[in-house]
Amino acid sequence: MPTSADDLHTFLRTRRSIRRFKPDPVADSVIERILTTATYAPSAHNVQPWRFVIVGRTLAPGASAGDDIPLHKTRSRLAQALTASMRADMLSEGASESDIEKRVATSSAAWTRRP
């Protein structure tokens, strides 16, 4: 872990993107630590509008390992949950219905295009 300003700059400048991942599961404690750290990132007006979704392979009651849910249905359910939360937040902040609908439509469309 970086311990000085120079170490931090070196760390940030030499980071890399990973495009192939191991099939090994990531420990819950590691995910929790990463997400906790992520909430410290700056945000506009310090509103911290973070929404995190942890996607795993939890099976529905009565399902077996071979009963995969099609990806498009998973994305659709995720988009519905995220946009419902976004809608509630925007309503509480006093956003207009037209602004809310635009953001919800944009977000929903983005979820259907993601790989």
Side-chain angles (χ1 to χ4, degrees):
M1 234 10 185
T3 57
S4 71
D6 288 337
D7 290 342
L8 177 61
H9 287 284
T10 299
F11 170 75
L12 293 173
R13 290 178 181 163
T14 59
R15 72 132 195 102
R16 58 192 173 123
S17 296
I18 305 299
R19 290 185 172 68
R20 283 189 260 173
F21 299 93
K22 293 180 178 181
D24 307 341
V26 178
D28 289 348
S29 61
V30 172
I31 293 172
E32 186 173 326
R33 186 172 184 204
I34 290 168
L35 295 180
T36 298
T37 300
T39 64
Y40 286 87
S43 64
H45 307 289
N46 200 31
V47 295
Q48 300 172 326
W50 315 132
R51 300 288 181 271
F52 300 106
V53 177
I54 300 170
V55 179
R57 273 190 78 92
T58 303
L59 297 174
S64 66
D67 298 337
D68 287 333
I69 299 171
L71 186 56
H72 72 278
K73 286 187 179 180
T74 302
R75 284 186 187 162
S76 176
R77 288 173 38 197
L78 180 57
Q80 289 171 2
L82 291 173
T83 55
S85 181
M86 179 194 313
R87 176 184 296 283
D89 289 345
M90 291 181 74
L91 280 171
S92 72
E93 294 166 0
S96 71
E97 192 62 38
S98 64
D99 286 344
I100 294 171
E101 287 306 317
K102 286 178 194 172
R103 292 270 312 270
V104 165
T106 300
S107 182
S108 294
W111 276 103
T112 60
R113 291 190 308 266
R114 289 188 176 127

mmCIF file of all heavy atoms in Angstrom, residues 31 35 51-56 78 81-82 111:
data_model
loop_
_atom_site.group_PDB
_atom_site.id
_atom_site.type_symbol
_atom_site.label_atom_id
_atom_site.label_comp_id
_atom_site.label_asym_id
_atom_site.label_seq_id
_atom_site.Cartn_x
_atom_site.Cartn_y
_atom_site.Cartn_z
ATOM 1 N N ILE A 31 -14.814 -7.525 -0.849
ATOM 2 C CA ILE A 31 -15.810 -6.699 -1.536
ATOM 3 C C ILE A 31 -16.279 -5.570 -0.621
ATOM 4 O O ILE A 31 -16.373 -4.411 -1.030
ATOM 5 C CB ILE A 31 -16.999 -7.549 -2.011
ATOM 6 C CG1 ILE A 31 -16.538 -8.503 -3.118
ATOM 7 C CG2 ILE A 31 -18.150 -6.668 -2.497
ATOM 8 C CD1 ILE A 31 -17.558 -9.529 -3.535
ATOM 9 N N LEU A 35 -15.868 -1.539 -1.409
ATOM 10 C CA LEU A 35 -17.028 -0.656 -1.500
ATOM 11 C C LEU A 35 -17.003 0.433 -0.437
ATOM 12 O O LEU A 35 -17.388 1.582 -0.702
ATOM 13 C CB LEU A 35 -18.325 -1.462 -1.417
ATOM 14 C CG LEU A 35 -18.553 -2.427 -2.573
ATOM 15 C CD1 LEU A 35 -19.867 -3.182 -2.389
ATOM 16 C CD2 LEU A 35 -18.524 -1.711 -3.910
ATOM 17 N N ARG A 51 -24.568 3.846 -5.596
ATOM 18 C CA ARG A 51 -25.433 2.674 -5.661
ATOM 19 C C ARG A 51 -24.521 1.517 -6.076
ATOM 20 O O ARG A 51 -23.920 1.561 -7.132
ATOM 21 C CB ARG A 51 -26.547 2.814 -6.704
ATOM 22 C CG ARG A 51 -27.474 3.973 -6.482
ATOM 23 C CD ARG A 51 -28.383 3.700 -5.279
ATOM 24 N NE ARG A 51 -29.294 4.791 -5.068
ATOM 25 C CZ ARG A 51 -29.039 5.851 -4.313
ATOM 26 N NH1 ARG A 51 -27.868 5.992 -3.740
ATOM 27 N NH2 ARG A 51 -29.924 6.788 -4.140
ATOM 28 N N PHE A 52 -24.401 0.527 -5.249
ATOM 29 C CA PHE A 52 -23.562 -0.617 -5.562
ATOM 30 C C PHE A 52 -24.438 -1.853 -5.666
ATOM 31 O O PHE A 52 -25.358 -2.034 -4.879
ATOM 32 C CB PHE A 52 -22.506 -0.845 -4.474
ATOM 33 C CG PHE A 52 -21.581 0.321 -4.298
ATOM 34 C CD1 PHE A 52 -21.697 1.156 -3.210
ATOM 35 C CD2 PHE A 52 -20.588 0.580 -5.234
ATOM 36 C CE1 PHE A 52 -20.835 2.228 -3.035
ATOM 37 C CE2 PHE A 52 -19.727 1.658 -5.076
ATOM 38 C CZ PHE A 52 -19.856 2.482 -3.970
ATOM 39 N N VAL A 53 -24.121 -2.680 -6.629
ATOM 40 C CA VAL A 53 -24.831 -3.939 -6.798
ATOM 41 C C VAL A 53 -23.781 -5.040 -6.835
ATOM 42 O O VAL A 53 -22.850 -4.992 -7.636
ATOM 43 C CB VAL A 53 -25.642 -3.956 -8.111
ATOM 44 C CG1 VAL A 53 -26.316 -5.293 -8.306
ATOM 45 C CG2 VAL A 53 -26.659 -2.826 -8.118
ATOM 46 N N ILE A 54 -23.925 -6.001 -5.968
ATOM 47 C CA ILE A 54 -23.017 -7.132 -5.955
ATOM 48 C C ILE A 54 -23.739 -8.286 -6.647
ATOM 49 O O ILE A 54 -24.798 -8.730 -6.193
ATOM 50 C CB ILE A 54 -22.630 -7.518 -4.516
ATOM 51 C CG1 ILE A 54 -21.954 -6.337 -3.833
ATOM 52 C CG2 ILE A 54 -21.736 -8.747 -4.518
ATOM 53 C CD1 ILE A 54 -21.746 -6.517 -2.363
ATOM 54 N N VAL A 55 -23.185 -8.705 -7.748
ATOM 55 C CA VAL A 55 -23.802 -9.763 -8.537
ATOM 56 C C VAL A 55 -23.096 -11.072 -8.221
ATOM 57 O O VAL A 55 -21.884 -11.173 -8.326
ATOM 58 C CB VAL A 55 -23.707 -9.455 -10.054
ATOM 59 C CG1 VAL A 55 -24.325 -10.573 -10.869
ATOM 60 C CG2 VAL A 55 -24.369 -8.118 -10.354
ATOM 61 N N GLY A 56 -23.857 -12.053 -7.816
ATOM 62 C CA GLY A 56 -23.294 -13.353 -7.487
ATOM 63 C C GLY A 56 -24.134 -14.449 -8.098
ATOM 64 O O GLY A 56 -24.981 -14.205 -8.954
ATOM 65 N N LEU A 78 -32.354 -5.712 -12.525
ATOM 66 C CA LEU A 78 -31.403 -4.789 -11.917
ATOM 67 C C LEU A 78 -31.730 -3.350 -12.318
ATOM 68 O O LEU A 78 -31.760 -2.451 -11.477
ATOM 69 C CB LEU A 78 -29.983 -5.154 -12.337
ATOM 70 C CG LEU A 78 -28.861 -4.286 -11.795
ATOM 71 C CD1 LEU A 78 -28.879 -4.253 -10.277
ATOM 72 C CD2 LEU A 78 -27.525 -4.803 -12.302
ATOM 73 N N ALA A 81 -34.741 -2.083 -10.393
ATOM 74 C CA ALA A 81 -34.434 -1.767 -8.994
ATOM 75 C C ALA A 81 -33.647 -0.466 -8.881
ATOM 76 O O ALA A 81 -33.938 0.382 -8.030
ATOM 77 C CB ALA A 81 -33.645 -2.916 -8.361
ATOM 78 N N LEU A 82 -32.651 -0.299 -9.746
ATOM 79 C CA LEU A 82 -31.830 0.915 -9.686
ATOM 80 C C LEU A 82 -32.620 2.157 -10.057
ATOM 81 O O LEU A 82 -32.477 3.208 -9.423
ATOM 82 C CB LEU A 82 -30.613 0.770 -10.598
ATOM 83 C CG LEU A 82 -29.578 -0.243 -10.135
ATOM 84 C CD1 LEU A 82 -28.508 -0.428 -11.199
ATOM 85 C CD2 LEU A 82 -28.950 0.192 -8.829
ATOM 86 N N TRP A 111 -28.531 0.070 -19.484
ATOM 87 C CA TRP A 111 -28.420 -1.294 -18.946
ATOM 88 C C TRP A 111 -28.660 -2.340 -20.013
ATOM 89 O O TRP A 111 -28.077 -3.418 -19.960
ATOM 90 C CB TRP A 111 -29.377 -1.495 -17.781
ATOM 91 C CG TRP A 111 -28.777 -0.999 -16.515
ATOM 92 C CD1 TRP A 111 -29.065 0.174 -15.879
ATOM 93 C CD2 TRP A 111 -27.753 -1.621 -15.749
ATOM 94 N NE1 TRP A 111 -28.273 0.320 -14.770
ATOM 95 C CE2 TRP A 111 -27.454 -0.777 -14.670
ATOM 96 C CE3 TRP A 111 -27.041 -2.810 -15.874
ATOM 97 C CZ2 TRP A 111 -26.494 -1.086 -13.714
ATOM 98 C CZ3 TRP A 111 -26.075 -3.113 -14.939
ATOM 99 C CH2 TRP A 111 -25.828 -2.258 -13.870
#
